[in-house]
Amino acid sequence: MKKTVIFFILCSFAAVCFAKPKSEPEWFKNYRSVFPNSEYLAQKGSGTTAEDAKTDAASQLARYFQSTVSANLSTTMSSITTGSSIQEETRVIDEVNVKSEVEFIGLEFTESYYYKSEKKWYAVAYMIRDDAWVQYKPKIESEKTKFYSFLKKAESEEDSFTKISLYKSAWKVSGDLMEKLEYGRIINPNEEEKYSADRTEVAELPAKIEKEQKNLTIFVNLKGDYGNIVETAIKTALEKGGFIVGEKGNYIADVVVSSNPNGENPVTIMPAVIVSIKSSEGKAVFSYEAKMMEKTVAYSLENAQKKAFPKLAEKINQGIKF
């Protein structure tokens, strides 16, 4: 019995000593062959622990999405806005948001593998393109719905100023749609191609806005200004918005500036402005009000206006966006 036990122990020891080491997983040798690009999106990561390797792999995949989406979106939006009255807005593709998007799509991992010679763990983060598309498509559809809600309202609007405002609202949300489409293009280019007509609708927006603006001239009718300071600010805001400002127009911007003086020698003022834009038919299409909350003191009304009105003009430049 004693000999049998000893024999069993020796056999077990030999089995451990001479056991064939665990073979390297196929993905460790060449993960692209296991996860072909035609079917998968995948990146390999490494770390000091098994979990660190998975985290690094996920980060590598997120960075791929981030750099690709940023580059493609920048190129697309630049080409659309070239030569138009719409100013291109730089969209920052935040790494945290990218990770959230990638995790939402349905990220999977291989079992981590420890590579003894490097004393490192390795893992692959991957997603199946077809499955990821099914997960992500509703996000694209949601942004598409928002975009067309503004676009359809704009197309049915008869007033030019209101039509332009609705077109610009459509333009603002189009950035979110285009961003989602860039994610979709990475996930499944063939499926994303079906949205080419929607990309065309976005691309045509600047031209539609420009066409409407050419048919619209605004006459600025202003009272209570000092040294044309407020008038210049109003006209600059309109021109930045792509509108034509003229001595006559089919729209009138009534602007009333109030100094609101108090006292004499010295005098205190808190200037305010009211802007109202109406069509020649009398339809109100835009309004804006601003008041300086800071008191300006001087020994004459003129000196007080000279000090306060540039600040009011700055407030107008920051507040009026078309």
Side-chain angles (χ1 to χ4, degrees):
M1 179 66 180
K2 197 172 184 180
K3 288 181 179 180
T4 303
V5 172
I6 292 171
F7 177 76
F8 178 76
I9 292 172
L10 289 172
C11 286
S12 299
F13 179 75
V16 172
C17 291
F18 299 104
K20 188 178 180 180
K22 187 178 179 182
S23 61
E24 295 175 352
E26 197 62 35
W27 60 259
F28 179 74
K29 300 172 187 175
N30 184 358
Y31 77 96
R32 292 296 183 192
S33 65
V34 178
F35 302 100
N37 194 52
S38 59
E39 298 176 39
Y40 296 89
L41 283 162
Q43 288 290 332
K44 187 164 74 172
S46 62
T48 55
T49 67
E51 197 58 38
D52 285 346
K54 290 181 179 180
T55 300
D56 184 53
S59 296
Q60 296 278 2
L61 192 56
R63 280 193 286 273
Y64 168 71
F65 269 93
Q66 183 182 22
S67 61
T68 306
V69 170
S70 293
N72 289 349
L73 195 59
S74 177
T75 301
T76 301
M77 300 310 279
S78 293
S79 65
I80 290 173
T81 56
T82 299
S84 75
S85 59
I86 285 183
Q87 298 297 313
E88 181 191 357
E89 292 184 10
T90 303
R91 294 178 68 86
V92 177
I93 311 300
D94 185 76
E95 186 177 349
V96 175
N97 291 335
V98 174
K99 285 183 178 179
S100 176
E101 293 284 83
V102 170
E103 288 168 4
F104 170 84
I105 295 169
L107 200 58
E108 297 183 56
F109 298 92
T110 61
E111 184 180 345
S112 296
Y113 170 72
Y114 185 69
Y115 190 44
K116 193 172 181 180
S117 63
E118 291 184 6
K119 297 181 180 178
K120 274 186 180 181
W121 287 88
Y122 285 87
V124 171
Y126 66 93
M127 56 181 71
I128 303 168
R129 288 183 183 273
D130 288 343
D131 293 350
W133 176 258
V134 172
Q135 289 276 359
Y136 200 73
K137 184 180 177 180
K139 282 201 169 190
I140 297 175
E141 289 294 327
S142 177
E143 296 303 333
K144 178 180 172 178
T145 300
K146 288 180 191 176
F147 170 71
Y148 279 102
S149 68
F150 286 109
L151 185 62
K152 287 176 181 177
K153 286 178 184 177
E155 300 289 4
S156 62
E157 179 59 54
E158 294 183 2
D159 177 77
S160 292
F161 194 100
T162 307
K163 184 186 281 283
I164 290 167
S165 296
L166 288 167
Y167 273 145
K168 288 192 174 184
S169 294
W171 175 256
K172 285 180 182 177
V173 299
S174 73
D176 294 327
L177 172 60
M178 296 297 279
E179 183 178 320
K180 292 294 183 288
L181 286 174
E182 290 303 337
Y183 277 100
R185 181 181 281 181
I186 295 171
I187 295 166
N188 196 319
N190 293 331
E191 289 294 330
E192 190 276 337
E193 181 63 27
K194 296 174 183 177
Y195 289 86
S196 60
D198 305 307
R199 285 181 174 271
T200 301
E201 287 285 3
V202 174
E204 290 175 350
L205 262 180
K208 289 180 179 180
I209 293 171
E210 200 166 8
K211 180 183 176 182
E212 288 296 326
Q213 286 174 331
K214 286 179 179 178
N215 297 325
L216 193 158
T217 303
I218 301 175
F219 166 66
V220 178
N221 177 38
L222 193 143
K223 297 176 182 178
D225 198 4
Y226 172 80
N228 298 325
I229 294 173
V230 173
E231 181 179 6
T232 301
I234 296 294
K235 287 182 176 180
T236 299
L238 288 166
E239 288 167 353
K240 277 186 177 179
F243 296 106
I244 299 169
V245 179
E247 293 301 318
K248 294 180 180 180
N250 47 0
Y251 285 79
I252 299 174
D254 286 315
V255 183
V256 179
V257 184
S258 305
S259 294
N260 299 313
N262 184 31
E264 289 183 16
N265 227 5
V267 62
T268 300
I269 67 170
M270 294 177 69
V273 63
I274 298 174
V275 182
S276 176
I277 301 178
K278 294 179 181 178
S279 68
S280 55
E281 290 82 23
K283 179 184 177 181
V285 294
F286 177 83
S287 63
Y288 171 81
E289 293 185 26
K291 182 178 181 180
M292 298 300 298
M293 304 309 294
E294 175 188 345
K295 294 179 180 180
T296 300
V297 182
Y299 281 98
S300 70
L301 178 59
E302 183 179 346
N303 284 338
Q305 290 174 330
K306 192 183 293 184
K307 288 196 290 184
F309 276 37
K311 295 178 183 178
L312 181 60
E314 186 179 345
K315 196 177 185 74
I316 291 168
N317 288 330
Q318 292 174 352
I320 296 183
K321 305 292 181 185
F322 294 104

